[in-house]
């Protein structure tokens, strides 16, 4: 594929995925007025996984007709479970609980900080070399996260419970990103999205039952829930995994700062929710840091580049 076409395709995947992910923070805040947090995450990803079934069935039927179907027993179940427990169960359990105690825009900014951890671990787990420019971006983005939370709050240890939960979700996302790249699963991105969402939703069901949350179905917020479950989950997940396969872990994760940008725009457009001065300043610092990260060429070992080039 022509490098310029591949770059445009990659940027389109990133823009679509981060817009949908950004919208999920605002939609979640709406649905949380009616549903308990863990049940919201559970129902969201059960519906998201089920929405993929017709598409996957059509693809499977075509592959059977062409003699290219992969037996279900041949799927890498353990690795799918690891990604599902991190990407869906871990991220969404912490995020939805955190959203009950912080704003959508602030949660989006804190979730976007996970490239810090991705970059720190990528060199160890994925052998991606971290360049000096990347370290500069990391330090600036980290400082932005501190400013976003509030320097005095960090120094006094008075960080809110909601912010801590969101940051735990961000860490789960970082580990899921590294796991997805390290495993190099030989399955297409939509099959990966389906199984990891289903595994994660099953784990979230157990967590919701253990927490004793009352089971509720969305009624007044049904429209926001359907947006959250299908475009902002099914679409965002599939596009994210496709972008992750096309670029390096650090580079791709760096674009997650677009999520709070889109979340802030949507929150303002729908409810007039504005960021505070220190959140805006912290967001700008993270943005500059992420720009430095994203301008770093994707660093992949030669054997990974060859295998990823042929993945869908």
């Amino acid at each position: 594929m022509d490098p310029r076409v591949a770059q445009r395709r990659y940027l389109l995947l990133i823009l679509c995925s981060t817009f949908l992910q950004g919208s999920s923070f605002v939609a979640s805040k709406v649905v949380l007025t009616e549903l308990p947090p863990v049940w919201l995450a559970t129902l969201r990803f059960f519906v998201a996984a089920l929405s993929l079934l017709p598409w996957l069935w059509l693809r499977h039927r075509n592959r059977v007709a062409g003699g290219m179907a992969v037996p279900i027993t041949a799927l890498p179940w353990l690795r799918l479970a690891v990604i599902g427990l991190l990407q869906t169960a871990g991220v969404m359990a912490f995020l939805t609980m955190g959203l009950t105690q912080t704003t959508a825009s602030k949660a989006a900014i804190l979730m976007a900080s996970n490239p810090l951890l991705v970059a720190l671990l990528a060199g160890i787990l994925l052998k991606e070399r971290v360049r000096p420019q990347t370290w500069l971006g990391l330090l600036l983005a980290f400082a932005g996260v501190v400013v976003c939370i509030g320097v005095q709050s960090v120094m006094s240890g008075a960080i809110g419970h909601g912010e801590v939960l969101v940051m735990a979700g961000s860490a789960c996302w970082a580990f899921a990103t590294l796991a997805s790249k390290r495993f190099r699963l030989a399955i297409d991105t939509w099959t990966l999205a389906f199984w990891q969402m289903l595994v994660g939703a099953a784990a979230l069901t157990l967590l919701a039952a253990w927490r004793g949350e009352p089971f509720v179905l969305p009624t007044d917020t049904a429209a926001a829930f359907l947006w959250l479950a299908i475009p902002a989950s099914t679409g965002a997940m599939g596009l994210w995994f496709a972008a992750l396969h096309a670029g390096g872990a650090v580079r791709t994760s760096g674009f997650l700062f677009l999520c709070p940008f889109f979340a802030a725009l949507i929150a303002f457009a729908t409810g007039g929710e504005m960021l505070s001065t220190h959140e805006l300043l912290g967001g700008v610092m993270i943005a500059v840091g992420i720009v430095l990260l994203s301008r770093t060429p994707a660093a992949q070992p030669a054997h990974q580049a060859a295998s990823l080039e042929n993945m869908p």
Side-chain angles (χ1 to χ4, degrees):
M1 181 183 293
D2 185 280
R4 289 174 296 181
V5 174
Q7 177 68 4
R8 286 196 293 268
R9 178 178 180 272
Y10 173 74
L11 291 175
L12 181 61
L13 289 171
I14 284 290
L15 287 173
C16 291
S17 180
T18 51
F19 173 80
L20 292 172
Q21 290 177 50
S23 73
S24 73
F25 292 94
V26 181
S28 292
K29 287 291 287 185
V30 173
V31 184
L32 280 169
T33 61
E34 189 175 10
L35 270 65
V38 181
W39 274 123
L40 166 58
T42 303
L43 291 174
R44 170 185 176 181
F45 284 98
F46 265 131
V47 172
L50 291 175
S51 71
L52 271 177
L53 277 178
W55 166 245
L56 291 178
W57 170 249
L58 287 174
R59 295 187 67 180
H60 177 72
R61 189 174 64 177
N62 291 336
R63 288 176 176 176
V64 169
M68 297 182 296
V70 177
I72 194 169
T73 54
L75 291 176
W77 289 110
L78 180 58
R79 294 184 175 189
L80 285 172
V82 169
I83 296 174
L85 290 174
L86 288 170
Q87 182 79 55
T88 294
V91 173
M92 294 305 154
F94 287 123
L95 174 59
T96 51
M97 288 188 289
L99 275 170
T100 63
Q101 302 173 57
T102 190
T103 66
S105 299
K106 193 169 186 177
I109 289 174
L110 293 174
M111 285 295 290
S113 69
N114 87 59
L116 304 173
L117 185 55
V118 170
L120 288 171
L121 296 178
I124 300 172
L125 300 178
L126 303 181
K127 308 303 180 185
E128 291 189 7
R129 184 167 66 90
V130 181
R131 302 166 185 266
Q133 177 178 302
T134 301
W135 284 116
L136 177 61
L138 287 172
L139 291 173
L140 187 58
F142 178 76
V145 173
V146 173
V147 172
C148 171
I149 297 172
V151 176
Q152 291 183 344
S153 296
V154 174
M155 295 299 292
S156 65
I159 299 173
H161 189 234
E163 286 75 23
V164 171
L165 289 171
V166 173
M167 286 189 287
S170 178
C172 286
W173 195 339
F175 282 110
T177 298
L178 293 169
S180 180
K181 289 291 290 182
R182 179 64 179 268
F183 292 161
R184 290 178 286 153
L185 301 178
I187 58 176
D188 65 89
T189 54
W190 296 107
T191 300
L192 171 59
F194 170 79
W195 284 112
Q196 70 89 20
M197 287 193 296
L198 194 62
V199 168
L204 287 167
T205 301
L206 298 176
L207 179 60
W210 178 74
R211 282 170 51 87
E213 290 187 355
F215 178 78
V216 181
L217 288 174
T219 54
D220 297 336
T221 59
F225 174 78
L226 289 175
W227 174 268
L228 181 64
I230 301 177
S233 296
T234 305
M237 284 287 186
L239 294 170
W240 171 254
F241 284 124
L244 188 59
H245 286 319
V250 176
R251 182 189 183 207
T252 301
S253 296
F255 282 95
L256 285 175
F257 184 76
L258 290 171
C259 296
F261 170 74
F262 287 130
L265 286 181
I266 296 168
F268 174 73
T270 58
E273 182 181 299
M274 297 292 290
L275 291 170
S276 66
T277 302
H278 72 86
E279 288 173 348
L280 284 170
L281 177 59
V284 170
M285 293 173 68
I286 298 173
V288 175
I290 296 304
V291 167
L292 291 174
L293 287 172
S294 64
R295 289 171 67 89
T296 303
Q300 295 178 2
H303 71 275
Q304 281 196 19
S307 63
L308 291 174
E309 192 173 287
N310 296 320
M311 294 186 72

